[in-house]
Amino acid sequence: MLIALPNAFGDASTNMAIDAALLESIPNGLAALRHYAWLEPAASFGYSQRYTEVVQATAPNIQLVRRLTGGGIVDHRNDWTYALIIQRALPCAAIAASELYLKVHHAIQLALKEMDIESRLAPCPRNCKSTDPVSQCFVTPAANDVLRPDGQKIAGAAMKRTRQGLLIQGSLDRSTLPDAFNFAHFQTRLQTQLAQTLQLPLGELEDIRPLFNSERIEREKQRFADRAWNQKR
């Protein structure tokens, strides 16, 4: 079952902490979609990226946080950020990463099309077997990222697979969409398209409070705020 969690605002470490806590404790057979915004100018960067190179590639006076997921640098100052958490018992959790990436972005395409926004998926670049260690996600599209017809990148994502399940953290660049674009309507359409694409029934929980374990979230927040985590490479 796929549920939608309430929208949230948080600082960089809190946003990452909630995603990590949900990944570790999501109930059996459940998938959850959530959107969150940022209380501070922030950028997240992939788990394997080198901190010193990220600092050189990002604007000054911006909060940096290392993600659990891979990928490149994402500037969150003008984006629409989401996370999809899939518990391991669900069949879609076993889909190969490249195929799942395609499915999620195809769902975004369909949701955009319902709102009269045309898009296409990026082809695999010739150098796709080698990754730029300081790539910036909205500057360098990866295979199957969502692009405008003119080639400008709309959406990208990164993944983390664990024994508990799968975390997909994704982002849409607001500047690539019309000023009057209704993200609330888009979010509803995206949930429906993800449910269809991943073959998950839509549903609701009577009480979502057990999903948000405050002690676990606080532990994770301390990790993502820690210099040792963010500067580990």
Side-chain angles (χ1 to χ4, degrees):
M1 181 173 70
L2 174 63
I3 66 168
L5 297 176
N7 295 343
F9 288 80
D11 58 28
S13 58
T14 298
N15 286 338
M16 296 297 98
I18 294 174
D19 283 352
L22 287 169
L23 176 61
E24 291 302 308
S25 60
I26 191 163
N28 185 59
L30 191 68
L33 175 68
R34 82 183 197 98
H35 157 62
Y36 49 91
W38 305 76
L39 291 175
E40 59 192 350
S44 65
F45 57 98
Y47 179 81
S48 298
Q49 291 189 287
R50 293 187 180 278
Y51 180 80
T52 55
E53 295 174 342
V54 170
V55 170
Q56 294 172 3
T58 52
N61 302 318
I62 188 170
Q63 183 64 43
L64 296 176
V65 63
R66 186 183 299 275
R67 298 189 304 270
L68 280 177
T69 54
I73 302 166
V74 181
D75 188 335
H76 297 290
R77 289 177 295 178
N78 191 32
D79 80 330
W80 188 87
T81 314
Y82 72 91
L84 177 64
I85 304 95
I86 304 173
Q87 198 272 335
R88 65 176 182 178
L90 292 168
C92 59
I95 297 174
S98 58
E99 183 181 353
L100 187 58
Y101 195 89
L102 170 62
K103 286 180 177 293
V104 169
H105 279 167
H106 183 55
I108 289 176
Q109 265 196 300
L110 294 173
L112 289 173
K113 188 175 182 62
E114 289 185 7
M115 301 181 70
D116 300 321
I117 303 294
E118 294 297 325
S119 64
R120 61 185 177 89
L121 296 181
C124 183
R126 287 185 302 172
N127 64 340
C128 63
K129 291 184 179 179
S130 62
T131 57
D132 179 354
V134 290
S135 65
Q136 300 193 51
C137 282
F138 287 124
V139 176
T140 309
N144 294 320
D145 281 345
V146 182
L147 309 181
R148 291 196 320 194
D150 65 4
Q152 189 170 356
K153 182 172 174 176
I154 299 173
M159 299 186 187
K160 171 70 174 180
R161 196 185 299 269
T162 70
R163 289 179 295 178
Q164 288 72 35
L166 185 70
L167 169 64
I168 301 170
Q169 293 174 315
S171 180
L172 279 72
D173 184 347
R174 291 177 181 269
S175 70
T176 63
L177 298 168
D179 291 340
F181 187 79
N182 191 318
F183 279 95
H185 291 173
F186 168 75
Q187 185 173 350
T188 300
R189 288 169 168 79
L190 176 58
Q191 183 186 6
T192 300
Q193 293 296 344
L194 284 170
Q196 294 176 359
T197 302
L198 301 177
Q199 299 183 337
L200 293 169
L202 287 171
E204 296 181 358
L205 294 181
E206 291 185 4
D207 186 2
I208 65 170
R209 288 175 296 179
L211 296 178
F212 296 92
N213 183 299
S214 59
E215 292 183 0
R216 183 186 295 273
I217 291 172
E218 184 58 33
R219 288 197 302 270
E220 294 290 1
K221 182 178 179 179
Q222 292 176 10
R223 170 166 62 143
F224 287 104
D226 192 345
R227 179 182 298 179
W229 166 264
N230 288 303
Q231 299 183 19
K232 66 186 299 180
R233 286 181 171 79

